Amino acid sequence: VIELIDNSADINQIQSLLKVYASNIKTAVLLSLPNNYSESIKGRTKPPLPHYVKKATDYIHFNYESSVQLEDLANHTGYSVRSLVEGFRKFVGTSPKKYLTEIRLSAARQKLLDPNCGESVTEIAFMAGFTQLGRFSGLYKERFGELPSQTRSSRNTSWQPPRLLSS
């Protein structure tokens, strides 16, 4: 810019160049300092779920207590099992079966932590859609680092329900 001024450059050229510099400085600041737009600028925001994946996740949230099969999801969404599996992997980061299991585990944990819940661990497992208690216990320990019975016995009266995964 100084060189242009020294060489008696056209004022319009100088103004144009200063606008480019100002824009570059703004961009550098936005990229380097945390702000409300940092994640969007860096491309880290999650794109919205395609309608068929959203429809499937909603179905899982409303029906996790019952037997949910891939075919049920396919029928509900109108998409093939293969498309659903690919959509889940791409947009949710897991398979529909693992997503269902996570929802069931979270629901079971919520009940196990609730001091007002009078159901047994077995009843809670069945209510959350698990049919094999040994498998439930193993998955639960893998996910939360303790057995369901340990969670049950450690609950207290200052409990606040954890949030289920949102779809």
Side-chain angles (χ1 to χ4, degrees):
V1 173
I2 294 173
E3 188 177 309
L4 287 174
I5 293 171
D6 287 344
N7 293 333
S8 301
D10 180 23
I11 190 73
N12 291 332
Q13 277 184 313
I14 295 171
Q15 286 177 336
S16 177
L17 190 57
L18 287 174
K19 285 180 184 177
V20 170
Y21 283 155
S23 177
N24 288 343
I25 290 170
K26 288 178 196 173
T27 301
V29 168
L30 282 174
L31 290 174
S32 63
L33 299 174
N35 60 71
N36 292 345
Y37 303 101
S38 295
E39 297 303 312
S40 291
I41 291 169
K42 294 175 184 172
R44 291 187 188 154
T45 56
K46 289 184 178 179
L49 294 176
H51 73 282
Y52 69 98
V53 175
K54 173 78 169 112
K55 199 171 181 181
T57 59
D58 288 346
Y59 184 88
I60 288 171
H61 280 269
F62 290 114
N63 297 287
Y64 69 87
E65 297 146 331
S66 60
S67 175
V68 177
Q69 304 297 319
L70 280 173
E71 291 75 20
D72 299 329
L73 294 174
N75 289 336
H76 182 72
T77 62
Y79 279 75
S80 69
V81 168
R82 183 174 182 215
S83 294
L84 279 172
V85 171
E86 288 177 15
F88 264 78
R89 289 203 195 283
K90 183 174 182 182
F91 297 102
V92 183
T94 190
S95 69
K97 184 173 173 70
K98 287 182 182 174
Y99 185 83
L100 171 62
T101 299
E102 182 61 32
I103 297 303
R104 286 176 170 169
L105 287 169
S106 294
R109 183 168 180 83
Q110 184 174 340
K111 282 280 200 188
L112 290 167
L113 287 168
D114 182 356
N116 299 315
C117 177
E119 286 90 2
S120 68
V121 171
T122 299
E123 291 169 322
I124 290 170
F126 285 133
M127 282 191 286
F130 291 96
T131 56
Q132 298 175 352
L133 296 178
R135 178 139 172 80
F136 164 67
S137 185
L139 289 169
Y140 189 93
K141 184 172 184 176
E142 182 181 312
R143 172 65 176 86
F144 299 109
E146 63 184 5
L147 294 170
S149 57
Q150 292 171 313
T151 301
R152 183 64 150 176
S153 64
S154 71
R155 66 187 175 173
N156 61 44
T157 55
S158 63
W159 173 82
Q160 296 240 336
R163 292 180 50 205
L164 289 175
L165 293 176
S166 61
S167 56

